[in-house]
Amino acid sequence: PASLRVIAASDVPSVRDVQPPTCTSMLRRAASRGFDASTLPRAAAQATLLQASRGFAAAASEPKDLSAAWASLAAYDSKAAGAFLNGEAAKAKAELGAAGYALAREYVVDHGKSLNFDGTVEVDSFDAANLWLREADGRAILAFRGSDTQKNLANVRSTETCSMYGHRLQAAVAEGEFAPLVALMSAGDFSGCRVLAVTGHSLGGGCASMLAVLMNDKSDPLGFGEAPIN
């Protein structure tokens, strides 16, 4: 619909680069007035998390809203992501529920078998994106899952490019990760949304950026409707 605003939220800092306190507790501090970056365990994580928290707030025009960050973390609910991230994903889903969001749709693509992110165990490889909707104000969040298998990492590291949707894109991600998920989506999926924030961590952040660009492209390369989306 013409009234839909599509926002690309900033990338979420790598949860694999930080140690306890947990990702969820750090995000809570980032959303509070008393957030002190010096309490984070690593200097790189400190700067990245603070920048990301500010980026989410600015993108959403809601200074205390880190719901897009929660949605990015919640997408790591796959077996391939491992027990730690699965636990953090469960906490993130609870935070989204407390903020009034409900899971409206799940998009899942089966890529067969692959080694997990650490390259130690063979797992089922699934790409996924989750659409969260807050019916009270029509705000929605579409979160793409980040890399959780070696197959994902190989696609991210590829240097090949291709022409798709009228744009020059990174081929392996566009063809192997993004396009299969977007093929499952339709304009009707977002008909109840007034604002759509598109987000993700790592690979998911790349897919989110592509979707935000394409949904705001007046040539309508995705076929989601001719009306411009602001």
Side-chain angles (χ1 to χ4, degrees):
S3 61
L4 178 63
R5 291 196 302 126
V6 180
I7 301 169
S10 302
D11 195 28
V12 183
S14 174
V15 291
R16 293 186 176 85
D17 292 338
V18 295
Q19 303 297 325
T22 64
C23 311
T24 46
S25 66
M26 288 188 290
L27 285 172
R28 287 192 194 96
R29 284 207 302 277
S32 70
R33 289 185 181 275
F35 175 64
D36 179 3
S38 67
T39 62
L40 295 180
R42 296 184 184 180
Q46 293 172 16
T48 304
L49 182 60
L50 186 57
Q51 180 182 10
S53 66
R54 289 171 176 167
F56 280 118
S61 298
E62 298 176 7
K64 293 298 180 181
D65 185 6
L66 284 178
S67 296
W70 294 125
S72 294
L73 184 53
Y76 281 107
D77 58 356
S78 63
K79 183 177 180 181
F84 171 74
L85 281 179
N86 289 170
E88 295 298 296
K91 295 175 188 176
K93 290 179 181 180
E95 293 286 346
L96 287 167
Y101 287 93
L103 185 60
R105 289 184 182 273
E106 296 179 273
Y107 308 95
V108 180
V109 175
D110 186 348
H111 285 295
K113 296 288 186 180
S114 174
L115 291 177
N116 65 351
F117 187 90
D118 297 326
T120 56
V121 180
E122 186 177 66
V123 294
D124 294 320
S125 179
F126 295 98
D127 285 340
N130 298 326
L131 179 63
W132 297 86
L133 176 63
R134 188 164 61 192
E135 292 188 353
D137 59 3
R139 178 176 169 80
I141 304 171
L142 180 65
F144 287 86
R145 179 181 294 160
S147 299
D148 60 3
T149 67
Q150 289 294 310
K151 187 176 294 185
N152 293 149
L153 290 176
N155 285 339
V156 169
R157 291 167 178 163
S158 172
T159 59
E160 298 296 320
T161 62
C162 68
S163 181
M164 289 180 68
Y165 310 113
H167 296 265
R168 198 71 186 170
L169 303 173
Q170 200 264 29
V173 170
E175 297 173 344
E177 310 281 352
F178 178 78
L181 281 172
V182 173
L184 302 177
M185 303 175 189
S186 68
D189 296 346
F190 310 106
S191 60
C193 310
R194 292 184 60 192
V195 175
L196 175 63
V198 192
T199 188
H201 162 251
S202 185
L203 166 64
C207 290
S209 297
M210 281 193 278
L211 187 68
V213 169
L214 296 175
M215 288 187 76
N216 284 286
D217 188 331
K218 293 182 179 180
S219 68
D220 189 29
L222 298 177
F224 280 3
E226 295 181 1
I229 300 173
N230 301 313

